């Protein structure tokens, strides 16, 4: 969505920053980039936050914030604002595998649209002193001649084709561009392994009063609840969110989408396997992502630091993704601050590579396990039964996925 006069404002902002030097140029104003901009500005670093989409924008995401993510929002003073904006507390999970289903209490999550959340983070970043330009694609260039050897040049190109690119200089660059790597200088120098049978992400939002009775009666109740419906080609999360919307987010096998020739038909088939007949999902406006499960081999070199999904992602979306992005921002900004004080970027790069390797492996173990179970319906049903019969196992599992 383009804000009224968005293009003109964006062109004016680009002209104002042409040739400027920033301590940090941050590419991507998702949760990772925006929170890094907040924390960096609070420490006095000059930060430019560049976003290719016009804000506010929605993106492929279930929008559920787990407890760690909520703590972060509390720590920067935004938790109450997000609740006042209509975010919903969800403390019950319904999992359905084909026709077998279970319901449990879970640690409270907060359901919020990404257009709401990301706009609030960006507003806060600006309030803390960061400069924000949206509707602008960033492309990092190679290190310039001697005079700028400590800097990276970032080319900024407005998404309206009439604007000429402008360049800015960054002492250090944070790439928080999610699954897209288009801003990196030479992508072969930043290899990422993508898992062969990785799923793709799908997403749409529907006004609640437009949800047909067939779906509403099966999955929407009086109290907010997160529904996870698992079928042979993937799984779909459905929950109420702010603004009177219902959020539908799925991870599906790309081969199933190819065979059905239509994203909506794949989701319809999944719902059918779970006993819900709903033709209308075929006609919805689905957004999709590239393959989800991937890992970047190196996450920092040559003054560039990857953050959030850009470092790697594993498909389950249980509130993990955003809390990983936020936790990463909390860990990275102090390193960047030190590097700025000491002009020693190499140490920060080394430490960031170590931090990511240590925490990513630990965090991804459980996500990979859940991803494997979801691919085998019979095994997954046994896991559900076990969770029903042995509450301590259930609580441990839910705790490791959802807190
Ligand atoms: C189907 C699905 C459901 C999910 N559900 C949840 C959930 O319920 N809870 C949860 O915590 N996580 C969930 N996730 C994961 C979560 O969405 C991500 O982990 C999270 O968005 C990562 O944040 P990020 O800031 O790293 O990247 P993003 O949020 O992807 O932000 C990247 C930003 O960079 C911008 N960008 C890209 N290239 C450029 C460029 N060249 N120049 C400028 N800007 C650029 C993009 O437009 C985008 O705004 C889900 C993921 C999927 C696929």
């Amino acid at each position: 969505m383009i804000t009224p006069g968005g293009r003109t404002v964006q062109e004016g902002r680009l002209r104002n920053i042409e040739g400027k030097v920033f301590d940090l140029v941050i590419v991507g104003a998702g949760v990772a980039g925006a929170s890094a901009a907040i924390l960096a500005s609070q420490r006095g670093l000059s930060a430019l936050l560049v976003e290719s989409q016009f804000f506010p924008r929605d993106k492929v995401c279930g929008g559920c914030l787990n407890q760690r993510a909520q703590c972060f929002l509390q720590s920067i003073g935004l938790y109450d604002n997000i609740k006042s904006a209509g975010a919903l507390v969800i403390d019950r999970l319904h999992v359905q595998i084909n026709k077998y289903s279970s319901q449990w209490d879970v640690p409270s999550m907060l359901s919020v649209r990404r257009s709401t959340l990301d706009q609030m983070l960006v507003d806060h970043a600006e309030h803390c002193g960061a400069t924000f330009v949206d509707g602008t694609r960033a492309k990092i260039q190679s290190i310039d001649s001697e005079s700028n050897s400590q800097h990276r040049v970032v080319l900024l190109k407005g998404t309206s084709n009439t604007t000429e690119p402008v360049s800015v200089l960054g002492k250090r660059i944070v790439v928080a561009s999610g699954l897209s790597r288009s801003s990196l200088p030479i992508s072969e120098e930043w290899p990422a392994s993508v898992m062969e049978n990785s799923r793709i992400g799908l997403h749409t939002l529907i006004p609640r009063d437009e949800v047909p009775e067939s779906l509403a009666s099966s999955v929407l109740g009086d109290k907010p609840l997160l529904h996870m419906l698992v079928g042979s080609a993937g799984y779909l999360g459905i929950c109420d969110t702010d603004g009177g919307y219902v959020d539908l987010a799925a991870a599906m096998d790309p081969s199933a989408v190819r065979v059905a020739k239509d994203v909506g038909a794949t989701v319809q088939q999944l719902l059918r396997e779970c006993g819900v007949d709903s033709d209308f999902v075929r006609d919805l406006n689905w957004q999709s992502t590239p393959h989800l499960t991937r890992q970047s081999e190196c996450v920092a070199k040559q003054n560039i630091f990857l953050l959030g999904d850009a470092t790697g992602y594993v498909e389950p979306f249980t509130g993990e993704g955003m809390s990983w992005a936020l936790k990463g921002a909390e860990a990275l900004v102090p390193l960047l601050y030190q590097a700025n004080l000491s002009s020693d970027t190499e140490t920060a790069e080394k430490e960031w590579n170590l931090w990511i390797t240590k925490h990513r492996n630990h965090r991804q173990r459980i996500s990979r396990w859940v991803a494997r179970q979801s691919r085998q319906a019979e095994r997954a049903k046994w896991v559900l039964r076990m969770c029903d019969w042995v509450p301590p196992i259930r609580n441990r599992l839910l705790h490791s996925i959802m807190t």
Side-chain angles (χ1 to χ4, degrees):
M1 181 172 134
I2 301 169
T3 49
R7 290 212 158 103
T8 327
V9 173
Q10 166 242 3
E11 283 170 23
R13 281 183 172 186
L14 277 184
R15 272 194 297 276
N16 283 343
I17 56 171
E18 172 140 40
K20 280 199 175 163
V21 182
F22 291 89
D23 293 329
L24 280 186
V25 175
I26 302 170
V27 180
V31 280
S35 50
I38 293 169
L39 299 174
S41 307
Q42 284 175 339
R43 286 180 175 246
L45 298 180
S46 61
L48 170 66
L49 179 61
V50 187
E51 167 57 46
S52 58
Q53 305 286 312
F54 281 98
F55 261 42
R57 59 94 183 89
D58 268 306
K59 68 171 297 287
V60 178
C61 187
C64 286
L65 293 158
N66 72 9
Q67 306 241 306
R68 259 175 296 162
Q70 292 173 51
C71 284
F72 175 85
L73 293 171
Q74 239 146 12
S75 74
I76 58 167
L78 279 191
Y79 179 83
D80 289 338
N81 303 19
I82 288 167
K83 275 193 81 180
S84 312
L88 300 172
V89 175
I90 297 196
D91 43 27
R92 203 126 171 99
L93 173 69
H94 170 235
V95 185
Q96 179 158 352
I97 302 171
N98 307 139
K99 306 268 164 64
Y100 185 89
S101 76
S102 253
Q103 248 191 63
W104 313 309
D105 288 331
V106 290
S108 300
M109 292 176 291
L110 206 55
S111 169
V112 59
R113 279 176 300 161
R114 287 296 296 271
S115 52
T116 309
L117 174 67
D118 293 12
Q119 182 69 60
M120 283 191 154
L121 287 168
V122 161
D123 287 346
H124 195 52
E126 285 190 291
H127 174 77
C128 294
T131 305
F132 173 58
V133 281
D134 59 352
T136 301
R137 268 188 302 271
K139 177 83 189 165
I140 304 163
Q141 303 278 292
S142 359
I143 290 173
D144 210 6
S145 58
E146 305 97 60
S147 57
N148 285 325
S149 60
Q150 296 304 309
H151 300 146
R152 277 285 185 173
V153 179
V154 185
L155 268 194
L156 305 177
K157 174 98 176 74
T159 40
S160 82
N161 287 330
T162 53
T163 44
E164 284 298 305
V166 307
S167 63
V168 291
L169 297 174
K171 292 184 188 164
R172 278 152 213 100
I173 315 294
V174 173
V175 172
S177 54
L179 301 176
S180 154
R181 304 171 75 79
S182 62
S183 65
L184 286 166
I186 304 171
S187 48
E188 299 83 65
E189 285 183 6
W190 292 87
S193 52
V194 178
M195 202 176 89
E196 220 172 84
N197 64 346
S198 169
R199 287 176 164 155
I200 57 169
L202 305 175
H203 180 250
T204 194
L205 285 160
I206 331 165
R208 200 185 210 270
D209 51 17
E210 288 175 21
V211 176
E213 187 48 33
S214 57
L215 188 64
S217 58
S218 318
V219 295
L220 298 173
D222 296 336
K223 278 189 75 188
L225 187 76
L226 170 61
H227 298 267
M228 292 298 289
L229 306 169
V230 185
S232 53
Y235 45 93
L236 168 71
I238 306 181
C239 69
D240 278 296
T241 187
D242 64 293
Y245 283 87
V246 175
D247 184 295
L248 278 74
M252 302 294 280
D253 290 332
S255 55
V257 178
R258 263 196 307 275
V259 170
K261 294 196 180 80
D262 172 3
V263 165
T266 326
V267 178
Q268 182 189 17
Q269 174 59 24
L270 184 151
L271 282 167
R272 209 171 268 156
E273 286 173 25
C274 294
V276 182
D277 232 339
S278 215
D279 287 354
F280 98 114
V281 290
R282 290 191 79 137
D283 304 323
L284 298 174
N285 186 15
W286 291 93
Q287 278 183 288
S288 60
T289 67
H291 291 267
L292 292 171
T293 302
R294 56 185 59 220
Q295 190 151 309
S296 192
E297 281 170 26
C298 169
V299 295
K301 62 182 175 189
Q302 302 164 356
N303 297 7
I304 300 174
F305 296 78
L306 307 191
L307 179 65
D309 278 4
T311 62
Y313 185 65
V314 178
E315 77 189 42
F317 39 98
T318 49
E320 263 282 299
M322 288 192 279
S323 79
W324 168 245
L326 298 168
K327 184 177 168 165
E330 265 184 323
L332 176 60
V333 169
L335 298 180
L336 296 170
Y337 177 73
Q338 268 310 319
N340 205 56
L341 281 183
S342 61
S343 301
D344 173 11
T345 306
E346 254 175 53
T347 302
E349 290 170 356
K350 237 181 258 159
E351 286 186 24
W352 187 234
N353 277 305
L354 284 173
W355 190 92
I356 287 287
T357 311
K358 181 173 166 213
H359 290 85
R360 183 172 58 189
N361 292 348
H362 173 70
R363 163 191 167 262
Q364 289 187 347
R365 207 172 309 133
I366 185 82
S367 299
R368 285 182 195 281
W369 182 81
V370 174
R372 271 201 305 278
Q373 308 312 311
S374 78
R375 281 170 161 75
Q376 298 180 26
E378 284 315 309
R379 226 158 85 179
K381 278 183 208 163
W382 271 108
V383 175
L384 273 202
R385 283 190 192 108
M386 179 106 80
C387 287
D388 280 335
W389 296 334
V390 193
I393 292 187
R394 173 178 76 224
N395 294 342
R396 198 148 167 222
L397 187 63
L398 290 175
H399 179 82
S400 43
I401 302 175
M402 302 183 105
T403 55

Coordinates of all heavy atoms in Angstrom, one line a residue, residues 27-32 50-53 57 59-64 114 136-138 176-178 180 182-183 202 249-250 292 308-309 313 317 319-322, ligand 1:
V27 N 19.3 -2.4 6.0 CA 18.5 -2.7 4.8 C 17.4 -3.6 5.3 O 17.6 -4.7 5.7 CB 19.3 -3.4 3.7 CG1 18.5 -3.8 2.5 CG2 20.5 -2.6 3.3
G28 N 16.1 -3.1 5.1 CA 15.0 -3.9 5.5 C 14.4 -3.5 6.8 O 15.0 -3.5 7.8
A29 N 13.1 -3.0 6.8 CA 12.4 -2.5 8.0 C 11.4 -3.5 8.5 O 10.3 -3.1 9.0 CB 11.8 -1.2 7.7
G30 N 11.8 -4.8 8.5 CA 11.0 -5.8 9.2 C 11.3 -5.7 10.6 O 11.9 -4.7 11.1
V31 N 10.9 -6.7 11.4 CA 11.2 -6.6 12.9 C 12.6 -6.6 13.2 O 13.1 -5.8 14.1 CB 10.5 -7.8 13.6 CG1 9.0 -7.6 13.9 CG2 10.7 -9.1 12.9
A32 N 13.5 -7.3 12.4 CA 14.9 -7.3 12.7 C 15.5 -5.9 12.5 O 16.2 -5.3 13.3 CB 15.6 -8.3 11.8
V50 N 16.3 1.5 5.5 CA 15.8 1.6 4.2 C 14.9 0.4 3.9 O 15.2 -0.7 4.2 CB 17.0 1.5 3.1 CG1 16.5 1.7 1.7 CG2 18.1 2.4 3.5
E51 N 13.7 0.7 3.3 CA 12.7 -0.4 3.1 C 12.2 -0.3 1.7 O 11.9 0.8 1.2 CB 11.6 -0.2 4.1 CG 10.4 -1.0 3.8 CD 10.6 -2.5 3.7 OE1 11.3 -3.1 4.6 OE2 10.1 -3.1 2.8
S52 N 12.2 -1.4 1.0 CA 11.8 -1.4 -0.4 C 10.3 -1.2 -0.6 O 9.9 -0.7 -1.6 CB 12.2 -2.7 -1.1 OG 11.7 -3.8 -0.5
Q53 N 9.5 -1.6 0.4 CA 8.0 -1.5 0.2 C 7.6 -0.1 0.8 O 8.3 0.4 1.7 CB 7.3 -2.6 1.1 CG 7.7 -4.0 0.7 CD 7.1 -4.4 -0.6 OE1 5.9 -4.2 -0.9 NE2 8.0 -5.0 -1.4
R57 N 2.9 -1.9 5.4 CA 2.7 -3.0 4.4 C 2.5 -4.3 5.2 O 3.1 -4.5 6.3 CB 3.9 -3.1 3.5 CG 5.3 -3.4 4.1 CD 5.6 -4.8 4.2 NE 6.9 -5.1 4.9 CZ 7.0 -5.3 6.2 NH1 6.0 -5.2 7.0 NH2 8.2 -5.6 6.8
K59 N 2.9 -8.5 5.2 CA 3.9 -9.5 4.6 C 3.5 -10.9 5.1 O 2.7 -11.1 6.0 CB 5.3 -9.2 4.9 CG 5.7 -9.3 6.4 CD 7.2 -9.2 6.6 CE 8.0 -10.2 5.9 NZ 8.0 -11.6 6.4
V60 N 4.1 -11.9 4.5 CA 3.8 -13.3 4.8 C 4.3 -13.6 6.2 O 5.5 -13.6 6.5 CB 4.5 -14.2 3.8 CG1 4.2 -15.7 4.2 CG2 4.1 -14.0 2.4
C61 N 3.3 -13.7 7.1 CA 3.7 -14.0 8.5 C 2.4 -14.3 9.3 O 1.3 -13.7 8.9 CB 4.3 -12.8 9.2 SG 4.9 -13.0 10.8
G62 N 2.4 -15.2 10.3 CA 1.3 -15.5 11.1 C 1.0 -14.4 12.1 O -0.1 -14.3 12.7
G63 N 2.0 -13.5 12.4 CA 1.8 -12.4 13.2 C 1.7 -12.7 14.7 O 1.2 -11.9 15.5
C64 N 2.1 -13.9 15.1 CA 2.0 -14.3 16.6 C 3.4 -14.1 17.3 O 4.4 -14.6 16.9 CB 1.6 -15.8 16.7 SG -0.1 -16.1 16.3
R114 N 1.3 -7.6 10.7 CA 2.7 -7.0 10.5 C 2.6 -5.6 10.0 O 3.5 -4.8 10.3 CB 3.4 -7.9 9.5 CG 3.9 -9.2 10.0 CD 4.9 -9.1 11.2 NE 6.1 -8.5 10.8 CZ 7.2 -9.1 10.3 NH1 7.1 -10.4 10.3 NH2 8.3 -8.5 10.0
T136 N 12.0 2.2 -1.2 CA 13.3 2.4 -1.7 C 14.2 1.1 -1.6 O 14.3 0.6 -0.5 CB 14.0 3.5 -0.9 OG1 13.3 4.7 -1.0 CG2 15.4 3.8 -1.4
R137 N 14.7 0.6 -2.8 CA 15.5 -0.6 -2.7 C 16.9 -0.2 -2.5 O 17.4 0.7 -3.1 CB 15.4 -1.3 -4.1 CG 14.3 -2.3 -4.2 CD 14.4 -3.1 -5.4 NE 14.4 -2.3 -6.6 CZ 13.2 -1.9 -7.2 NH1 12.1 -2.4 -6.8 NH2 13.3 -1.1 -8.3
A138 N 17.6 -1.0 -1.6 CA 19.0 -0.8 -1.4 C 19.8 -1.8 -2.1 O 19.5 -3.0 -2.1 CB 19.2 -0.8 0.1
A176 N 19.0 -6.8 6.9 CA 17.9 -7.4 7.5 C 16.8 -7.5 6.5 O 15.6 -7.1 6.8 CB 17.5 -6.6 8.8
S177 N 17.1 -8.1 5.4 CA 16.2 -8.1 4.2 C 15.4 -9.4 4.1 O 14.8 -9.7 3.1 CB 16.9 -7.8 2.9 OG 18.0 -8.8 2.8
G178 N 15.3 -10.1 5.2 CA 14.5 -11.3 5.2 C 15.0 -12.4 4.3 O 16.3 -12.6 4.2
S180 N 15.1 -12.3 1.1 CA 15.6 -11.8 -0.1 C 17.1 -11.4 0.1 O 17.4 -10.8 1.2 CB 14.8 -10.5 -0.5 OG 15.6 -9.6 -1.2
S182 N 18.8 -9.7 -2.4 CA 19.1 -8.9 -3.5 C 19.9 -7.7 -3.2 O 20.5 -7.1 -4.1 CB 17.7 -8.4 -4.2 OG 17.0 -7.6 -3.2
S183 N 20.0 -7.3 -1.9 CA 20.8 -6.1 -1.6 C 22.3 -6.4 -1.5 O 23.1 -5.5 -1.5 CB 20.3 -5.5 -0.3 OG 20.6 -6.4 0.7
L202 N 2.9 -19.0 2.6 CA 1.7 -18.4 2.0 C 1.0 -17.6 3.0 O 1.0 -18.0 4.2 CB 0.8 -19.4 1.4 CG 1.3 -20.5 0.4 CD1 0.2 -21.5 0.1 CD2 1.8 -19.8 -0.8
A249 N -1.9 -18.2 7.5 CA -0.5 -18.3 7.1 C -0.2 -19.8 7.0 O -0.5 -20.6 7.9 CB 0.4 -17.6 8.1
A250 N 0.5 -20.2 5.9 CA 0.7 -21.6 5.6 C 2.2 -21.8 5.2 O 2.8 -21.0 4.6 CB -0.2 -22.1 4.6
L292 N 11.6 -21.7 2.3 CA 11.8 -21.2 3.6 C 13.1 -21.6 4.3 O 13.7 -20.8 4.9 CB 10.6 -21.5 4.5 CG 9.2 -20.9 4.1 CD1 8.1 -21.5 4.9 CD2 9.3 -19.4 4.3
G308 N 18.4 -11.4 11.5 CA 17.0 -12.0 11.3 C 17.0 -13.1 10.3 O 18.0 -13.9 10.2
D309 N 16.0 -13.2 9.5 CA 15.8 -14.3 8.5 C 17.0 -14.3 7.6 O 17.2 -15.4 7.0 CB 14.5 -14.1 7.7 CG 13.3 -14.7 8.5 OD1 13.5 -15.1 9.7 OD2 12.2 -14.7 7.9
Y313 N 16.6 -19.6 8.3 CA 15.3 -19.7 8.7 C 14.9 -21.2 8.6 O 15.3 -21.9 7.7 CB 14.3 -18.8 7.9 CG 12.9 -18.9 8.4 CD1 12.6 -18.3 9.6 CD2 11.9 -19.4 7.6 CE1 11.3 -18.4 10.1 CE2 10.6 -19.4 8.1 CZ 10.3 -18.9 9.4 OH 9.0 -19.0 9.9
F317 N 6.4 -21.9 12.0 CA 6.2 -20.5 12.4 C 5.3 -20.4 13.7 O 4.1 -20.3 13.6 CB 5.6 -19.7 11.3 CG 4.5 -20.4 10.5 CD1 3.2 -20.2 10.8 CD2 4.8 -21.3 9.5 CE1 2.2 -20.9 10.1 CE2 3.9 -22.0 8.8 CZ 2.5 -21.8 9.1
G319 N 5.9 -18.4 16.3 CA 6.3 -17.3 17.2 C 7.8 -17.2 17.3 O 8.4 -16.3 17.9
E320 N 8.5 -18.2 16.7 CA 10.0 -18.3 16.7 C 10.6 -17.2 15.9 O 11.6 -16.5 16.3 CB 10.3 -19.6 15.9 CG 10.6 -20.8 16.7 CD 11.9 -20.7 17.3 OE1 13.0 -20.7 16.6 OE2 11.9 -20.7 18.6
G321 N 10.1 -17.0 14.6 CA 10.8 -16.2 13.6 C 11.1 -14.8 14.1 O 12.2 -14.3 14.1
M322 N 10.0 -14.1 14.6 CA 10.2 -12.7 15.0 C 11.0 -12.6 16.3 O 11.8 -11.7 16.5 CB 8.8 -12.1 15.2 CG 8.1 -11.8 13.9 SD 6.7 -10.8 14.0 CE 5.5 -11.9 14.6
Ligands
LIG1 C1 4.0 -18.5 6.6 C2 4.8 -17.8 7.7 C3 4.2 -17.6 8.9 C4 5.0 -17.0 9.9 N1 4.4 -16.8 11.2 C5 5.1 -16.3 12.2 C6 4.5 -16.1 13.4 O1 3.4 -16.3 13.7 N2 5.3 -15.6 14.4 C7 6.7 -15.3 14.2 O2 7.4 -14.9 15.2 N3 7.3 -15.5 13.0 C8 6.5 -16.0 12.0 N4 7.1 -16.2 10.8 C9 8.5 -15.8 10.6 C10 8.6 -14.3 10.5 O3 7.8 -13.8 9.5 C11 10.1 -13.9 10.1 O4 11.0 -14.7 10.9 C12 10.3 -12.5 10.4 O5 9.5 -11.7 9.6 C13 11.8 -12.1 10.1 O6 12.0 -10.8 10.3 P1 13.1 -10.0 9.4 O7 13.0 -8.6 9.9 O8 14.4 -10.8 9.5 O9 12.6 -10.1 7.9 P2 11.2 -9.5 7.2 O10 10.2 -9.4 8.2 O11 11.0 -10.4 6.1 O12 11.7 -8.1 6.7 C14 12.6 -7.9 5.7 C15 12.2 -6.5 5.0 O13 13.3 -6.2 4.1 C16 12.7 -5.6 3.0 N5 13.7 -5.7 1.9 C17 14.1 -6.8 1.2 N6 15.0 -6.5 0.3 C18 15.3 -5.2 0.4 C19 16.1 -4.3 -0.3 N7 17.0 -4.7 -1.2 N8 16.1 -3.0 0.1 C20 15.3 -2.5 1.1 N9 14.4 -3.4 1.7 C21 14.4 -4.7 1.4 C22 11.4 -6.4 2.8 O14 10.5 -5.6 2.0 C23 11.0 -6.6 4.2 O15 10.1 -5.6 4.7 C24 6.3 -16.7 9.7 C25 6.9 -17.0 8.5 C26 6.2 -17.5 7.5 C27 6.8 -17.7 6.1

